[in-house]
Amino acid sequence: MNLLKAKRLIQVLIAVVLFFSWVDIVEAQQPARKEIDLDDFAQQLFATQKEDANFDDLYESLLQLYTHPLDLNLATRDLLGSLYILSEAQINSFVDYRKTNGRLLSIYELQAIPGFDIPTIQKLLPFVTVYDNGNASDTRSLWKRILTEHSNTLLLRYDQTLEKKKGFLPPDTARDGSLTQRYTGSAGHWYARYRINHPGDFSLGFTMEKDAGEQITWQPSRYQYGADFFSWHLLLENKRRWKKIAIGDYQLQIGQGLLLSAGFSVGKGASTVETIRRSQVGIRPYTSIMETGFLRGGAATYVLGKFEVTGFYSHTHRDANVNDSDSLTDSYISSLLLAGYHRTPHELTTRATVLEQTSGGDITYKSTTGRFEMGGTFIDTQYDTPIQKIPRRYNQFEFSGKNNIGIGLHYSYVWQNFNLFGEAARSSSGGLGAVSGILGSLSPHISAALLIRHYDRNFHTFYGGAFGENTRNINESGIYWGVKFNPTRRITLTAYYDSYHFSWLKYRVDAPSEGFDYLLRLAWQPTKKLLLYTQYREEHKQRNEPDQDSPINFITETIHKQYLFNIDFQANDYLFLRTRVQFSSFKQSTLTTGYAIMEDLTLKLRRWQASTRFALFDTDDYDNRQYAFEKDVLNSFSVPMYYLRGARYYLLLNYDVTPRCSVWFRVARTSLVNQDTMGSGLDRINGPQRTDIKVQVRYHL
Amino acid sequence: MLYYLCLKYYNARLSVYFTIHRIVAIDNFTHFFICYTQHFLHLKRLLFFSSLLVILSIRIVFASGEPNPTGARVWGLANCAVTFTDPWSVWNNPGGLAYTEYSHVLATYNIRYSMSGFQTMAVGYVHPLSKGVLGATLSRLGDELYNETIVGISYGYLWKNVSMGLRVNYLQAGMQEVGKKQTVLFEIGTIVQLLPQLSAGVHIYNVSQSRLDASTNERIPTIMKAGLAYKPHTKLIWTVELEKDIDFAGTFRTGLEYEIVKNLRLRTGIATRPQLYSFGIGFSPKKLQLDYAFQTHSTLGLSHNLSLSIRLLKKKTTNESIKS
């Protein structure tokens, strides 16, 4: 039944494509901006296999940068730094060049800047632009500018798992005679987005999503209007003294992200120096489909001489498990839910159950040279129902109550080729959080970074995401060293070492614990068409000893080692090959290993592009699961987990029907050996295979 | 009985310093034990005692006569020392001594884990001869309960782009109410200039495999170090080093020194097994050089080092002397 539905949907999509392609022939054609392989770029930045990394959010931010390129004539130090491509010396060199030579006339001028080599420029090009005459010259009304803007995109996507998951099967009868819960909606995953934007002027867009198993209904009382998730934004930039005005969904990136952090935060990764600093980007439109972590309302930044004043307000309903009031207690929230799934009747009861209001502001002073900035931030979050987690020893110092206020100070200072930066903040609980670092170019070939952080066990920040080992900035102290070394233009050696300790207990760690991890990566590009790299990462962390007999849990050290070998080869104009081998070992009481080997092939033929992978994997346990980036349809990012033993393969087809219209089709399949089922809970499939199909259409209107 | 022994040893503070900072990383069990105790007892003294207990329950280690990295510069770089050619190489690798062009007086003081029993004082004098460079040093470690005194003579010789050195130590270890033991041990080292920016160094400590007491088989560790230093320009040195003691797992060290403004150098370093992080600062106005460094140990806490070196007259007359 579902299969039939899926087929029909595909037919409809094809019809839509054909229609638009016909329209296209009638209209004049616009040259499209050259596309880059965002997956490859992302891989280079986030090459560690970090299980809790929020890849979707990172990728979305990267995409935003790509679709919203920086105007080099307007770009501040902060924005240049936020690309994570330029070293501190190169940023200095660029700013000096622009100061002495005036506006850049063309992107080709980058080659004239001292310290800019071809590889750097190539990396930079997709994310920057130079406007001939700036936005000020366009004196037409905003409405007209929007109507005539060429940079707009409509994207439709559908995907589905072909095998029936347990959640879509008829319910079982439980012991008490009731029926077990099942998903209420269809098995398809729908996604649509539209965005029209002109960098430095405006951005307007909406996003809709329905996850597999969710319903499409109209229930204004439950804040559902059609699809389960709906998001829109309007962002205006550089309107007189208003630097930015945002309405709808947005995020804020201020200081080092201790109180307000948005998207593009890489943290520990294969790029070990530039990525540890956060740049003050300010207001960003929210275009992702993560159903938490954004603000909904309005925000604006106003320029007052050397000061930038930002204010924001957000009013939105969040998912939460609410325990209703009884004779003894008032109602309270036992947990806030972040996954954003509303598939079963139970999940639906948690949907939008608590009202969250967040308001705050920031005042930042920026010196005329842009070398020094300092500011203060205030954020106040209020829930209409108090949060009271189910008491456990490890969550004793987590947030409880209705209201959390955060006050923070942040600074950044550029001295010679060094950037000193930091932020400190205090939450209502009295907990302190602080992060401070320095990065710079020690020589044209070596850059290095050092960062120290401390987050109290009772420091609470809901929108923060500063540098750290933990996913959230709480209960952690640590120190990080990073170095990047280019002995020649073709060889890059990067390394980091991070040491941390957690002064309070954590989930599955019943004692204060400590650990460290380090990474070494050597990349060699002997020719433009060949890239080889190898990477080693080792992590020592403490965790409860499994299967222990003692009455009190005790912790022991775990050692996780990850090896990676990769060859990228552009064999000719049409064919690209990638071979990758990953190996890991994990040791606590016993030693277990994991292994994955994969071969990718990408073929480009005029308007066709096809990508395929075949991978074999064999992992002893969950600690040795392997993550590997996969090519996906444009604007989608996949880093699936290779776990247990089996094979994984996919085929991705991309056809540019017209310059304005592209279609994608992807089919991916995992088949396990020695297993009868796949997945768990309601996602369980009765059988050792899982097949996913995906169809996407993109159209420039 | 063991308990009694422990108490006795604790009171005598029997070369604990030498064992503890290494034992901590020896195996998971010890490591776990220390953290576990730290959590539940919150008593530094008990932590100290319990780790000692574990040490003793595994094996009784006598590790007198360990090499003691000397000088705050080396400390600031997590004890990376094998490739350095400054006067402090008189202690750390005699292979680097031959590059010294002036006479120097050196003095240093350090204290480990803020414990008075674990402090070291050392003085040295380095003097260039017509052929090679000669140095003499005197170091004293510990207090009246347990102490070591070392008198050392170093000689370094430069032959084209290879420098070599030899050091002879006379070591005396003393323990209150127990007595004193003496021995002589040798060190050799070399530094090779591979490229204008790259040099390599090797150092072997106690190459003679001397023992403090042959009857109790009380060994002095034999340790070999090898390292590389990269100097892209005069302001920057990046060094990596491997160290292997016959009895323990290998240690990796790396250090970075950068002259951020003229005569002011910042340093940082990392070492594994045992884990150690260090930061240092060096100020060198005119004929003085003043260095400070601290090192952190995740369980035992902070250690500090302060050093001073004074440059005296120059023996060899070259064109450079006129410049400087």
Side-chain angles (χ1 to χ4, degrees), chain B residues 262-305:
Chain B
K262 197 165 183 276
N263 294 334
L264 186 73
R265 289 179 171 81
L266 298 181
R267 306 180 180 111
T268 180
I270 306 165
T272 64
R273 280 187 282 193
Q275 261 195 80
L276 183 147
Y277 321 122
S278 70
F279 295 93
I281 186 165
F283 182 53
S284 49
K286 295 185 180 170
K287 291 182 171 178
L288 291 182
Q289 175 155 351
L290 195 64
D291 294 303
Y292 166 76
F294 71 89
Q295 299 188 337
T296 66
H297 188 288
S298 55
T299 316
L300 297 171
L302 282 181
S303 306
H304 303 271
N305 192 330

Side-chain angles (χ1 to χ4, degrees), chain B residues 21 49 53 73 113 129 158 269 293:
Chain B
H21 76 283
F49 176 71
L53 196 135
R73 183 186 185 209
Y113 320 124
L129 305 170
L158 181 66

Side-chain angles (χ1 to χ4, degrees), chain A residues 109-168:
Chain A
E109 226 177 315
L110 283 173
Q111 292 176 65
I113 302 173
F116 276 58
D117 50 4
I118 299 292
T120 310
I121 295 172
Q122 276 171 349
K123 270 190 217 163
L124 198 61
L125 278 182
F127 303 107
V128 296
T129 175
V130 170
Y131 284 103
D132 300 336
N133 40 19
N135 296 310
S137 62
D138 196 343
T139 51
R140 295 171 301 152
S141 71
L142 178 68
W143 184 240
K144 272 197 175 144
R145 293 207 301 276
I146 292 177
L147 281 182
T148 55
E149 176 58 47
H150 297 300
S151 163
N152 65 65
T153 315
L154 175 68
L155 199 81
L156 295 170
R157 185 191 302 157
Y158 176 81
D159 68 79
Q160 191 189 339
T161 304
L162 294 184
E163 287 81 10
K164 273 247 166 71
K165 291 177 180 170
K166 192 181 173 192
F168 298 107

